[in-house]
Amino acid sequence: MSENKRASFGGKLSVILVAAGSAIGLGALWRFPYIAGKHGGAAFLLVFLLSVLVVGIPAMLAEFAIGRKTRKNAVGAFREISKRWSWLGYSGVLCALFISGYYYLIAGWSLEYLVSSATGLLYNSSLPFTEQFNEFQGSYRPLIYGIIFILMTYFIVSRGVEKGIEKASNVMMPMLFVILVVMAVRVAFMPGAMDGYRFFLSCDFAEAFKPETIMMAIGQAFFSLSVGMGCMVTYASYFKKDNNMVSTSLNVSLLTLAVSVLAGLVIFPAVFSAGLEPTEGPSLVFVTLPEIFKGMPLPSLWSAIFFLLVILASLTSTISFHEVLTAYTAEEFKLSRKGGALVTTGISIALSAVTFFGLFGVDFFTLFDNVTANMLMPLGAMFTCVFVMWFMKKGFMREEITNNGECNNRVVGVLLFMLRFITPLLIFYIFIKNFL
């Protein structure tokens, strides 16, 4: 696809919303708030923000620079700059492919719960919520809803960059924030909500600045920004040449943090109000929270609104890794955009089925998750940092970050220093820590 034919995102806000949509996923709702509450509260948020500045933003800028410079898919981008480093592009595509093997299934759970909430089935059943979730997992419905989620993603991606991805993000991201704010206001009036605020926002600097907590914050900062999986390279290939990438990366990071904080302000006041123990992961979303909604007036309504929120957070993420594969397939195999999206959709359905049925007795869910989170993402991001700072021509990153000097600012030197020395070392630590 030639540069003059390549689509571009419209305004600056659209760029931020699209990139933030990729970063904001299920982890922002069911993992980050719990980690923050357990490890220093508001003090952890400060440590996390510092970690984003040291690890997340430099790594994101490296991927932005490669994508915008080449205006190609993840593989084509690295290959155009250096054929010897094209394997980094393949690593990103492979990472997006493996994530497709399990993420759609998890996203499909929220569709099931939206439907059962809206129809009242979730609260009319005689089974406890734990048994309802186990019964759902033991049926074929997770695969069915996972396939529906894939088709929803295909419908958006196949419509193109402007009419599909950008337009969807401009609608879904504001919706996500509105729902979070509405729910945060609602739970604020629940009895005992203050205990939840104390759990989430109490400021414990002694806990937050423990070495293990700092390393946890660094890891969370890395995994919360969708680096190392080809998404930011692909999305940046649709940036306009005058895009201020430093400002974009900072705004994406702040939006991601804002969603996580709002999620905590929704979840933990509600959990403590119900007298339940705070948890994380699927048990929090699909067991604990329905139990809380059951004790509220109009439980089906609030439950349906919450699971719509989960769907929006999931869909903005599935769009991003579907786009990585669609752009790669369409450009490398000379297909139309809809053809590339259709191939990606077929592969995603096949991988989801393999994961669901567990062929040959292999737990593909755990396999795909471990390979992507523990290997492909940290190694991809680390070597991308090394590549742009140690093997590219001198001045490449400075030229890209400053738009050839047009948007120069005081932090560029600091960002380049971190990108050259600190960021890759910290990401390497994350990689090693995963195996200890």
Side-chain angles (χ1 to χ4, degrees), residues 13-168:
L13 179 60
S14 294
V15 169
I16 294 168
L17 292 178
V18 170
S22 173
I24 296 168
L26 291 170
L29 300 180
W30 74 25
R31 186 166 188 267
F32 176 86
Y34 178 79
I35 291 176
K38 291 287 287 185
H39 296 282
F44 179 87
L45 299 181
L46 174 61
V47 176
F48 173 79
L49 186 58
L50 292 173
S51 301
V52 166
L53 296 175
V54 175
V55 176
I57 289 178
M60 192 186 301
L61 283 171
E63 297 195 3
F64 278 173
I66 292 170
R68 191 183 67 172
K69 176 70 175 178
T70 60
R71 296 181 64 80
K72 293 184 181 296
N73 68 84
V75 172
F78 281 97
R79 185 175 59 231
E80 178 165 310
I81 296 175
S82 173
K83 290 184 178 180
R84 290 187 301 172
W85 287 83
S86 62
W87 63 270
L88 270 174
Y90 285 108
S91 173
V93 169
L94 188 63
C95 187
L97 183 67
F98 284 172
I99 291 174
S100 300
Y102 69 89
Y103 200 97
Y104 287 113
L105 293 175
I106 300 175
W109 299 351
S110 56
L111 275 177
E112 154 84 10
Y113 273 71
L114 173 64
V115 171
S116 61
S117 296
T119 59
L121 292 175
L122 184 63
Y123 295 97
N124 291 332
S125 172
S126 60
L127 294 175
F129 293 113
T130 301
E131 292 185 25
Q132 287 191 58
F133 184 65
N134 292 336
E135 184 274 331
F136 166 61
Q137 291 293 299
S139 69
Y140 286 101
R141 298 202 306 278
L143 179 59
I144 294 170
Y145 279 109
I147 292 174
I148 293 174
F149 216 100
I150 293 171
L151 296 177
M152 289 167 55
T153 307
Y154 164 77
F155 175 76
I156 294 171
V157 173
S158 65
R159 290 175 61 83
V161 173
E162 299 105 324
K163 294 181 179 179
I165 298 172
E166 181 177 350
K167 190 173 182 180

Side-chain angles (χ1 to χ4, degrees), residues 56-363:
I57 289 178
M60 192 186 301
L61 283 171
E63 297 195 3
F64 278 173
I66 292 170
R68 191 183 67 172
K69 176 70 175 178
T70 60
R71 296 181 64 80
K72 293 184 181 296
N73 68 84
V75 172
F78 281 97
R79 185 175 59 231
E80 178 165 310
I81 296 175
S82 173
K83 290 184 178 180
R84 290 187 301 172
W85 287 83
S86 62
W87 63 270
L88 270 174
Y90 285 108
S91 173
V93 169
L94 188 63
C95 187
L97 183 67
F98 284 172
I99 291 174
S100 300
Y102 69 89
Y103 200 97
Y104 287 113
L105 293 175
I106 300 175
W109 299 351
S110 56
L111 275 177
E112 154 84 10
Y113 273 71
L114 173 64
V115 171
S116 61
S117 296
T119 59
L121 292 175
L122 184 63
Y123 295 97
N124 291 332
S125 172
S126 60
L127 294 175
F129 293 113
T130 301
E131 292 185 25
Q132 287 191 58
F133 184 65
N134 292 336
E135 184 274 331
F136 166 61
Q137 291 293 299
S139 69
Y140 286 101
R141 298 202 306 278
L143 179 59
I144 294 170
Y145 279 109
I147 292 174
I148 293 174
F149 216 100
I150 293 171
L151 296 177
M152 289 167 55
T153 307
Y154 164 77
F155 175 76
I156 294 171
V157 173
S158 65
R159 290 175 61 83
V161 173
E162 299 105 324
K163 294 181 179 179
I165 298 172
E166 181 177 350
K167 190 173 182 180
S169 296
N170 287 343
V171 172
M172 291 191 296
M173 290 299 292
M175 278 182 64
L176 187 148
F177 273 96
V178 168
I179 292 173
L180 276 170
V181 171
V182 168
M183 295 202 72
V185 172
R186 172 62 186 87
V187 302
F189 293 95
M190 297 177 69
M194 190 57 65
D195 291 332
Y197 294 133
R198 291 193 189 97
F199 171 80
F200 184 50
L201 296 176
S202 62
C203 202
D204 186 349
F205 284 100
E207 174 65 30
F209 283 93
K210 287 181 179 178
E212 58 268 29
T213 303
I214 293 173
M215 289 301 108
M216 184 179 296
I218 290 171
Q220 185 67 27
F222 171 76
F223 288 113
S224 67
L225 295 178
S226 290
V227 291
M229 53 186 288
C231 292
M232 295 307 178
V233 174
T234 303
Y235 275 171
S237 71
Y238 307 125
F239 287 4
K240 292 180 179 178
K241 289 297 183 182
D242 63 349
N243 176 267
N244 186 326
M245 295 192 299
V246 174
S247 175
T248 297
S249 62
L250 179 60
N251 284 318
V252 168
S253 302
L254 292 176
L255 273 179
T256 304
L257 177 61
V259 168
S260 298
V261 170
L262 278 172
L265 295 178
V266 170
I267 292 169
F268 294 113
V271 169
F272 278 85
S273 175
L276 300 174
E277 285 296 316
T279 58
E280 62 175 319
S283 64
L284 169 66
V285 172
F286 299 103
V287 177
T288 303
L289 289 176
E291 188 70 48
I292 294 167
F293 296 136
K294 186 178 181 179
M296 296 168 61
L298 303 174
S300 292
L301 173 63
W302 290 109
S303 182
I305 291 173
F306 175 77
F307 285 110
L308 176 60
L309 166 68
V310 178
I311 288 170
L312 292 174
S314 303
L315 189 55
T316 55
S317 294
T318 60
I319 288 170
S320 66
F321 54 77
H322 196 293
E323 174 60 20
V324 171
L325 299 172
T326 295
Y328 166 74
T329 306
E331 294 173 27
E332 296 297 313
F333 297 96
K334 311 301 180 185
L335 302 175
S336 66
R337 179 171 186 85
K338 286 191 175 180
L342 193 60
V343 170
T344 298
T345 298
I347 294 173
S348 299
I349 291 174
L351 279 176
S352 296
V354 167
T355 301
F356 180 77
F357 290 109
L359 297 183
F360 313 114
V362 177
D363 182 0

